[in-house]
Structure formats: C-alpha cells, structure tokens
Amino acid sequence: MSAALNAMAAEVLLLLRLALTDDPLGKREKTVLSRIASCLLHLSPNETSDILVSLEDLSTDRDLMQARAGLRQGSHERRIILAETMFELAQRDPELAPRADRLTARVCDVLGLGADEVAHLSG
C-alpha cells in the first residue's frame, strides 16, 4: 500500500479510535480496530499491528486531546471526507452498522462538525 493510503488509513483508524472511547483501549475496541484495518481497509498484518500499537499509546487525556486537535485542524473538506469515510465503513461492518448513527454523532464531535453538515449521511 502506498504511503499516502497508509496515512489515510491511519487517520481513519485514529478517528475510529477516538469515536469508540475516551478511555484506554479495551479488548472490544482493539478487536473492532483490527477488523476494520484488515478486512475493510485491507492493511497487512504488520501494518495493522503497527497502527494498533500507536493507537494503544494514546492513553492519557492529554494524548487524546492532542489527537482530537490534530484531526480538527484539517480543512473542513477533509473533515467531511473523514466523516463520510467513517460512516461508509460503519455501514459495511456488521458490529458497527447497528450503531452507525451514534458513531456518526461521536465522529462529528471529534471532528468539530455540526449535525447539519453530515445530515446527508443518514439518508
């Protein structure tokens, strides 16, 4: 996978990590992130492992706030694309699909987007 695609996949997984929990990653969150990385983003086992290690390192409130701030600094268009990508991945994942609306709300919170900006995602 190209470096640009790896960077985008890592950004999407970071967003998912922040949307799943504000606490340190638990077993359930690690399982979801790993499944999305390998099955839907088609990352290799090594790429998935490397990214998950980095996501596990985000364990303090300060780390999480910095990660959120980093995502919010992206352009409005980029943040919309991330929200759309996350919604599409959630719809394709059997565990996340039933909670796609709640996940979208969390994603919007992380990205600093209003509900009106992503209303087209729910249908």
Side-chain angles (χ1 to χ4, degrees), residues 45-90:
N46 286 341
E47 292 167 328
T48 297
S49 178
D50 290 346
I51 290 173
L52 288 178
V53 166
S54 296
L55 295 175
E56 286 178 315
D57 287 343
L58 298 173
S59 57
T60 67
D61 288 341
R62 181 179 175 160
D63 294 337
L64 296 171
M65 287 177 16
Q66 287 177 335
R68 281 177 181 248
L71 288 173
R72 284 185 180 186
Q73 288 176 357
S75 71
H76 183 262
E77 180 179 303
R78 178 122 178 118
R79 291 180 290 133
I80 292 291
I81 290 168
L82 282 170
E84 290 171 342
T85 301
M86 188 57 55
F87 185 79
E88 289 173 21
L89 289 174

Side-chain angles (χ1 to χ4, degrees), residues 5-45:
L5 287 177
N6 268 349
M8 181 65 169
E11 195 171 31
V12 166
L13 290 169
L14 172 61
L15 177 56
L16 179 57
R17 185 265 179 262
L18 295 171
L20 288 174
T21 183
D22 292 327
D23 297 321
L25 288 177
K27 184 178 179 179
R28 183 183 69 86
E29 291 87 9
K30 289 177 193 176
T31 300
V32 169
L33 288 164
S34 180
R35 184 178 63 247
I36 295 295
S38 61
C39 296
L40 297 179
L41 296 176
H42 308 292
L43 297 178
S44 73

